[in-house]
Amino acid sequence: MACELKDMVRPTIFTLTPYVPGKPIEEVERELGIKGVIKMASNENPLGPSPLALEALKKAIARVNIYPDSNCFYLKRELASHLGCGEENLIIGNGSDEILKLIAETFLNPGDEVIYGWPSFSEYEFVSKVMEAKCIAVPLRDDFTLDLDAIIGNVRSKTKLIFICNPNNPTGTIVKEKELSDFLERLPGDVLVVLDEAYYEYVTAPDYPDSLKFVKEGKNVIVLRTFSKIYGLAGLRIGYGIASSEIISCINRVREPFNVNLLAQEAARAALNDSDHLERSKELVLNGKEYLYKSFERLGLRYVPSEANFIFVDTGKDSKEVFAALLREGVIVRTGDIFGYPTYIRVTVGTPSENERFVRSLEKVLS
Ligand SMILES: *Cc1c(COP(=O)(O)O)cnc(C)c1O
């Protein structure tokens, strides 16, 4: 008797919706037959990687015949001193995406419950569903901030994980120090909170939480950061988690031995020490946001003030159409429909000339 493949596959797999990545530049150029396309869709650093990271990569490339260090010894030592934590408080991943997956694999049994704000980063749902957990998406408040009271209101005995994206992707809003510490105080002790701080380095708000403090206080939190965003190493795939040594050693049990490649480890070490590049990148984004805010105001568009390197803006029109029209102008952004905001787009802050080109194109497309 013929066996149907779909009967062999875990039923959960059919509940998963594939991740929608930002459209790659090459694909747009190929499909539209145009050149000089710019991508302002995936919150990458438009200045590129740190020059020091590029140097380190050149040196390291001759050694790719050998396996990478499974323990990321040197990177952990430098990160620990950079962050003021212990090496035993760190886990390095193939992007922080991998750490999200490892956390889900470590903690979630089928039927456990997971809570996150919505709209937010889509990986929280993905990694949870793979483990057959039940996902509860709590809508953001009207001002696009995370509703921690509503999240607490959804905590039950089956609640295992809460994902807090801070700043939140796609809105760029933050949860403040006081709110977060009160929230953690109120949570039952058997709930683990993942603080995803992929855009940490861009934040300037004085009341942004010092989340490592919660780790040091022994709270059930894991802080996630990445080299993909401000450090400009998205293509190498490297991110890290910070938590108590007990949490880290549990997550380490499900980690593949060579999950972080040798080039990524070397580039990350070099990037970490390039404070010039970091400062230039921050400056670029701060100035870029000012310019974009002013332009949106001039065009009469509502936007969400952002603590990250992207802005969620209401175009007042079907964002899929705006997206397609911008694409024809050679500008790639993200549509808000996937986040439940069909007239919004999310645009990554680019270089001054990219920002100007985006605004010119948007003006043309909306008129
Ligand atoms: C980009 C992003 C990440 C993933 O980063 P990688 O380290 O590249 O896997 C994680 N969380 C959020 C909110 C992001 O926007």
Side-chain angles (χ1 to χ4, degrees):
M1 218 171 69
C3 177
E4 292 270 2
L5 185 64
K6 73 170 176 22
D7 296 330
M8 297 165 63
V9 172
R10 293 167 56 213
T12 295
I13 299 308
F14 296 107
T15 71
L16 304 174
T17 32
Y19 181 74
V20 191
K23 234 172 148 50
I25 289 176
E26 294 75 15
E27 189 178 306
V28 175
E29 293 187 338
R30 201 167 57 234
E31 286 175 359
L32 295 178
I34 54 178
K35 284 262 166 279
V37 168
I38 56 171
K39 186 180 178 202
M40 302 171 80
S42 301
N43 308 336
E44 293 136 338
N45 186 337
L47 293 181
S50 128
L52 298 186
L54 290 178
E55 275 310 303
L57 283 171
K58 280 183 204 146
K59 281 202 197 123
I61 199 147
R63 289 190 285 127
V64 293
N65 59 316
I66 50 168
Y67 281 99
D69 175 8
S70 167
N71 184 37
C72 299
F73 177 84
Y74 292 105
L75 176 59
K76 275 191 194 167
R77 193 169 68 179
E78 287 160 28
L79 262 178
S81 111
H82 183 81
L83 299 166
C85 67
E87 287 149 47
E88 69 285 1
N89 299 118
L90 292 168
I91 182 164
I92 319 291
N94 185 38
S96 49
D97 279 356
E98 187 200 16
I99 305 180
L100 287 169
K101 195 129 193 251
L102 297 179
I103 292 168
E105 288 170 351
T106 304
F107 291 97
L108 295 178
N109 282 310
D112 280 349
E113 295 186 0
V114 166
I115 313 176
Y116 43 80
W118 189 255
S120 192
F121 193 47
S122 62
E123 284 293 290
Y124 310 144
E125 176 183 329
F126 172 74
V127 300
S128 304
K129 275 192 170 174
V130 170
M131 299 310 295
E132 301 181 36
K134 184 178 163 206
C135 294
I136 299 167
V138 173
L140 299 185
R141 296 191 193 105
D142 289 343
D143 64 356
F144 294 95
T145 58
L146 205 62
D147 191 343
L148 292 181
D149 289 331
I151 288 181
I152 288 263
N154 277 284
V155 172
R156 306 191 303 175
S157 60
K158 290 216 156 191
T159 306
K160 189 66 83 54
L161 289 179
I162 298 177
F163 292 98
I164 293 184
C165 191
N166 199 23
N168 188 48
N169 180 1
T171 56
T173 47
I174 60 161
V175 171
K176 297 173 179 171
E177 168 98 38
K178 175 84 169 62
E179 271 184 288
L180 186 58
S181 58
D182 289 350
F183 171 80
L184 293 175
E185 285 304 323
R186 288 162 69 196
L187 267 191
D190 57 355
V191 177
L192 184 65
V193 177
V194 180
L195 299 171
D196 184 349
E197 299 185 337
Y199 303 94
Y200 167 84
E201 297 84 359
Y202 285 116
V203 177
T204 56
D207 44 7
Y208 182 65
D210 167 17
S211 53
L212 295 195
K213 191 185 76 183
F214 302 126
V215 174
K216 285 179 190 137
E217 287 170 0
K219 296 267 190 321
N220 269 344
V221 301
I222 306 176
V223 179
L224 297 184
R225 298 203 185 141
T226 181
F227 286 97
S228 296
K229 303 290 158 60
I230 204 166
Y231 288 105
L233 300 178
L236 285 173
R237 313 303 303 125
I238 183 163
Y240 58 97
I242 314 150
S244 70
S245 56
E246 292 83 4
I247 292 176
I248 295 293
S249 65
C250 291
I251 304 174
N252 255 324
R253 289 171 172 266
V254 294
R255 182 177 66 82
E256 297 286 342
F258 304 112
N259 63 324
V260 183
N261 75 77
L262 181 148
L263 296 177
Q265 292 187 36
E266 292 303 326
R269 288 176 61 199
L272 193 63
N273 291 313
D274 194 345
S275 49
D276 282 354
H277 185 260
L278 198 79
E279 286 311 314
R280 259 184 288 131
S281 306
K282 269 195 233 181
E283 201 53 34
L284 182 89
V285 163
L286 284 180
N287 295 334
K289 280 195 288 195
E290 280 313 308
Y291 167 77
L292 289 170
Y293 292 161
K294 281 207 190 89
S295 306
F296 294 147
E297 282 157 24
R298 182 171 57 79
L299 298 174
L301 304 179
R302 183 180 179 215
Y303 62 88
V304 189
S306 170
E307 288 290 334
N309 68 334
F310 51 81
I311 307 172
F312 205 44
V313 55
D314 189 356
T315 65
K317 299 214 164 129
D318 180 342
S319 73
K320 281 192 194 146
E321 281 167 28
V322 174
F323 168 81
L326 283 173
L327 218 52
R328 289 191 292 274
E329 300 295 317
V331 180
I332 315 173
V333 296
R334 292 296 282 267
T335 58
D337 61 318
I338 50 169
F339 300 116
Y341 287 83
T343 60
Y344 279 70
I345 57 172
R346 190 195 67 196
V347 60
T348 304
V349 180
T351 61
S353 69
E354 287 172 340
N355 296 336
E356 283 161 26
R357 180 163 157 203
F358 160 72
V359 169
R360 270 200 314 277
S361 305
L362 185 67
E363 208 168 348
K364 180 173 165 194
V365 161
L366 294 180
S367 66

